[in-house]
Amino acid sequence: MRTVYCGQVNLEHVEQSVTLCGWVNKRRDLGGLIFVDLRDREGIVQVVFDPDNKDVFEVANSLRNEYCVQLTGQVRARPESQINKQMATGEVELIATELTILNASAPLALDSNQENSEEQRLKYRYLDLRRPVMSDRIKFRSKVTSAVRRFLDDNGFLDIETPILTAATPEGARDYLVPSRTHKGKFFALPQSPQLFKQLLMMSGFDRYYQIVKCFRDEDLRADRQPEFTQIDIETSFMTSAEVMAKTEEMIRDLFKQLLDVDLGQFPSMPYSEAMRRFGSDKPDLRNPLELVDVADLLKEVEFKVFSGPANDPEGRVAVIRVPGGASLSRKQIDEYGKYVGIYGAKGLAWMKINGAAAGDVQSPIAKFLNEDIIAQLIARTEAADGDILLFGADNETVVAEAMGALRLKLGEDFELVEDCWKPLWVVDFPMFEKHDGGLAAIHHPFTAPVGVTPEQLEADPANALSDAYDMVLNGVELGGGSVRIHDQAMQAAAFRVLGISDEEAREKFGFLLDALQFGAPPHAGLAFGLDRLIMLMTGATSIRDVMAFPKTTTAACPLTDAPSVANPAALAELGITTQVEAKEDDA
């Protein structure tokens, strides 16, 4: 039906007759002539309708936005004075000789001239995706997945599919469950990741595997989370963590160079402990120059218990952020920052304005609790200068890291300190476990290998064990994470016991994996990238919903299809399932 895409018409087509198909992006009636901007997935071209061609002109007069049409015409070069440098096709236009309306459009449910609510955009997603910005993101996504496949294929990786219907496994989030009709009372689970299957593929001898795969997690959502998302899943045998990191870093560098013409350079590495100490985050945005500075050792003897309490607590922390030029902040603005850190559990935000660093001249409601020597040491350690402000966080380590880490990011944006560049990073040397509900939980997942310990040593001192894990971070976003996996049955059993997974539960949930570890399981390691986050970063979008064709809302609903919906009672009966509906307050 077409001979060329609208966005690909150029000077090479001058004096040729071409046929286009697409949608009316805009129609302008200038009296003697009608101009139509015709759009398809590749772009827009201007079409001119001359009244001398009466039949075609009459049809063109009835066109409205989003009419779907086919037209034929002759390409001509625009006069120099009429070239539109804002359009890829701005040097040419089409003189229409034939026009067919393939389908008229009803009045649009979305207003192309105004901001539509996200609910509207998702309900009429097929209209929203026609917008060039959305179309470009989806096309870019396709280019990324094609480039990833080429790289991995060229490096000996095999694309192997793994099951979608599988067994429920405790991997940190709720599973989506699928009832079985043939096994009443039993359920499949949708995979949170292909973790166990890719490990089994390594044990099967396929030493380089990849898959661009859907994963499912029933968890609370936010801008960078969806109930179903896409991973670039990679697993290798007989490769060290350093080798896996080098290969996947090469893939990401090639991707940015090929598609964005950006040279990311060599990625630096940073231990987890340093990232938390300096930035309060295990995915620090290095474009922001602000850092957290520990000062607990200076404040142990002060009378101000807000400081001295955490300073003397082994699990406490007192940290400071120095904001250059921050002394200009009003008390109201400082109070707003205090409310902001409260979101993360902080009880308040102490502050100190530096009016004369050399003389120790400061303005602060807490200055009366600090002698001149401590103030001088605080100024020296933070390298504060005249006109700066020091903002203090004092609480347990977790609260200080989360609150001050978030404050650091907000201050960086508010004071326009964030560089316009790309800052990649590897975060390594993660702890194996973290405290959770009175016990321990895996930082990554229960199949991550520890570094340099025996199974007995792991069980004896799990709190100090480090994992052979690594996260790739870019501009404060975790692009992907991976680890060396446990390939020894005794070590895997020890890790389960540390996590409070009994031998019986381990056998029930992971019996097939434990069995496979007995039969010559090779050393193996892998990494999974969040494709949606990667596309979001590369396209400059602010949410992964804007780089997915048909995403869900933040309540895991689909306005387009009205999913989730009520199941047919007959289908539920066949599955042996009954549902409970919570009574409304009026019915109680």
Side-chain angles (χ1 to χ4, degrees):
M1 292 181 70
R2 62 155 67 98
T3 60
V4 65
Y5 283 107
C6 297
Q8 295 177 346
V9 180
N10 56 43
L11 290 173
E12 294 180 3
H13 297 99
V14 169
E15 297 185 2
Q16 294 181 25
S17 178
V18 299
T19 300
L20 308 176
C21 293
W23 289 266
V24 175
N25 195 65
K26 184 185 293 185
R27 174 185 172 276
R28 304 183 300 281
D29 189 341
L30 302 185
L33 297 171
I34 293 175
F35 292 87
V36 166
D37 289 344
L38 192 68
R39 184 194 73 245
D40 60 20
R41 76 172 206 190
E42 295 300 322
I44 296 174
V45 67
Q46 179 172 281
V47 182
V48 182
F49 295 89
D50 194 313
D52 291 342
N53 190 336
K54 293 183 179 180
D55 292 341
V56 173
F57 191 83
E58 184 176 341
V59 178
N61 201 41
S62 69
L63 294 179
R64 297 294 182 268
N65 284 3
E66 299 306 316
Y67 273 37
C68 184
V69 303
Q70 178 192 46
L71 61 84
T72 299
Q74 188 159 15
V75 181
R76 73 180 181 189
R78 292 197 198 187
E80 186 72 28
S81 61
Q82 296 179 19
I83 291 176
N84 185 346
K85 295 182 180 180
Q86 305 303 313
M87 294 173 59
T89 61
E91 294 180 300
V92 297
E93 59 188 7
L94 206 69
I95 307 301
T97 56
E98 300 177 32
L99 172 63
T100 302
I101 296 177
L102 301 174
N103 213 332
S105 174
L108 294 179
L110 298 182
D111 188 339
S112 60
N113 296 316
Q114 297 181 18
E115 288 293 323
N116 298 285
S117 70
E118 187 170 60
E119 185 80 11
Q120 288 175 299
R121 291 178 54 210
L122 294 181
K123 183 173 180 60
Y124 299 98
R125 190 61 162 183
Y126 44 86
L127 296 179
D128 189 48
L129 288 173
R130 290 183 189 176
R131 294 190 299 134
V133 64
M134 293 300 296
S135 176
D136 288 346
R137 287 170 182 164
I138 299 302
K139 288 190 297 179
F140 187 86
R141 184 183 181 114
S142 178
K143 291 179 180 178
V144 168
T145 55
S146 293
V148 166
R149 290 185 188 279
R150 282 195 300 272
F151 178 90
L152 294 172
D153 289 342
D154 290 346
N155 281 272
F157 288 82
L158 303 176
D159 184 358
I160 307 175
E161 295 179 347
T162 54
I164 294 298
L165 295 177
T166 183
T169 55
E171 293 185 44
R174 297 183 193 91
D175 288 312
Y176 277 102
L177 300 178
V178 181
S180 170
R181 178 183 58 82
T182 53
H183 302 276
K184 283 187 172 61
K186 294 186 176 181
F187 295 81
F188 294 104
L190 302 182
Q192 296 183 33
S193 78
Q195 182 63 46
L196 297 180
F197 287 104
K198 65 185 181 183
Q199 289 190 244
L200 291 175
L201 286 170
M202 296 303 102
M203 299 170 197
S204 304
F206 301 103
D207 65 315
R208 292 195 176 195
Y209 141 95
Y210 83 93
Q211 189 181 185
I212 298 179
V213 60
K214 281 285 187 183
C215 301
F216 307 87
R217 293 179 187 175
D218 185 7
E219 58 186 349
D220 295 333
L221 306 183
R222 59 190 185 207
D224 60 347
R225 281 184 179 171
Q226 281 281 293
E228 53 179 314
F229 57 95
T230 307
Q231 280 187 182
I232 305 169
D233 206 47
I234 298 170
E235 195 78 7
T236 70
S237 297
F238 309 113
M239 290 180 71
T240 64
S241 54
E243 290 169 329
V244 172
M245 291 165 65
K247 184 56 65 179
T248 52
E249 178 182 319
E250 180 186 353
M251 182 183 79
I252 296 299
R253 285 205 313 267
D254 284 2
L255 198 61
F256 272 73
K257 184 62 179 176
Q258 182 184 151
L259 299 182
L260 297 181
D261 195 25
V262 168
D263 184 359
L264 293 177
Q266 295 291 321
F267 293 13
S269 290
M270 180 181 294
Y272 168 89
S273 57
E274 180 182 346
M276 297 302 293
R277 175 174 56 81
R278 295 173 58 190
F279 308 108
S281 172
D282 60 359
K283 47 181 185 294
D285 187 348
L286 299 186
R287 299 173 302 163
N288 182 343
L290 300 179
E291 295 192 17
L292 280 62
V293 178
D294 285 309
V295 293
D297 60 307
L298 304 178
L299 303 170
K300 288 184 176 182
E301 305 301 326
V302 300
E303 296 180 7
F304 190 44
K305 291 185 178 180
V306 171
F307 283 173
S308 60
N312 287 283
D313 185 344
E315 297 184 355
R317 184 179 183 188
V318 184
V320 181
I321 297 176
R322 176 183 70 87
V323 185
S328 61
L329 288 171
S330 68
R331 182 60 185 266
K332 181 180 178 181
Q333 289 173 310
I334 296 172
D335 288 344
E336 288 299 316
Y337 285 123
K339 293 177 183 177
Y340 181 75
V341 296
I343 297 172
Y344 300 90
K347 300 179 183 67
L349 186 67
W351 56 273
M352 181 184 292
K353 293 184 178 182
I354 311 301
N355 299 320
D361 184 12
V362 300
Q363 176 189 351
S364 171
I366 63 170
K368 59 187 176 183
F369 299 108
L370 310 176
N371 61 42
E372 292 183 2
D373 181 56
I374 289 177
I375 291 174
Q377 290 185 69
L378 288 171
I379 291 173
R381 183 169 296 183
T382 58
E383 299 181 356
D386 294 356
D388 294 349
I389 191 171
L390 302 182
L391 300 174
F392 295 79
D395 211 304
N396 65 61
E397 287 184 334
T398 300
V399 169
V400 170
E402 292 182 357
M404 299 300 282
L407 179 63
R408 168 183 174 268
L409 297 178
K410 183 168 177 57
L411 289 166
E413 294 291 342
D414 291 351
F415 282 80
E416 299 181 350
L417 300 173
V418 181
E419 295 180 73
D420 183 14
C421 61
W422 297 100
K423 289 283 189 176
L425 173 73
W426 284 107
V427 178
V428 298
D429 296 338
F430 285 84
M432 272 285 285
F433 308 106
E434 61 184 347
K435 293 180 180 179
H436 181 71
D437 291 339
L440 294 175
I443 288 279
H444 284 86
H445 55 65
F447 318 109
T448 301
V451 178
V453 295
T454 65
E456 294 76 17
Q457 290 169 331
L458 179 66
E459 290 192 74
D461 188 17
N464 291 312
L466 295 181
S467 64
D468 201 351
Y470 35 84
D471 282 1
M472 184 187 289
V473 177
L474 181 62
N475 291 6
V477 175
E478 179 192 327
L479 287 187
S483 67
V484 172
R485 322 303 188 187
I486 296 172
H487 70 281
D488 175 74
Q489 189 182 35
M491 182 65 79
Q492 187 63 77
F496 284 158
R497 285 193 291 272
V498 169
L499 293 169
I501 300 174
S502 67
D503 292 344
E504 293 75 16
E505 184 183 359
R507 173 55 53 183
E508 178 186 351
K509 301 292 187 183
F510 310 108
F512 58 94
L513 177 68
L514 296 175
D515 288 342
L517 290 174
Q518 299 179 83
F519 301 106
H524 54 287
L527 186 147
F529 289 100
L531 176 65
D532 311 298
R533 291 182 187 178
L534 177 62
I535 306 297
M536 179 182 73
L537 269 183
M538 295 182 78
T539 60
T542 57
S543 166
I544 62 171
R545 290 190 292 277
D546 283 338
V547 298
M548 303 170 77
F550 299 103
K552 306 291 190 295
T553 66
T554 52
T555 58
C558 176
L560 175 67
T561 62
D562 285 331
S565 58
V566 177
N568 184 302
L572 291 177
E574 195 173 18
L575 292 166
I577 292 176
T578 59
T579 60
Q580 291 182 331
V581 179
E582 293 183 7
K584 297 180 181 178
E585 290 184 8
D586 294 342
D587 298 333

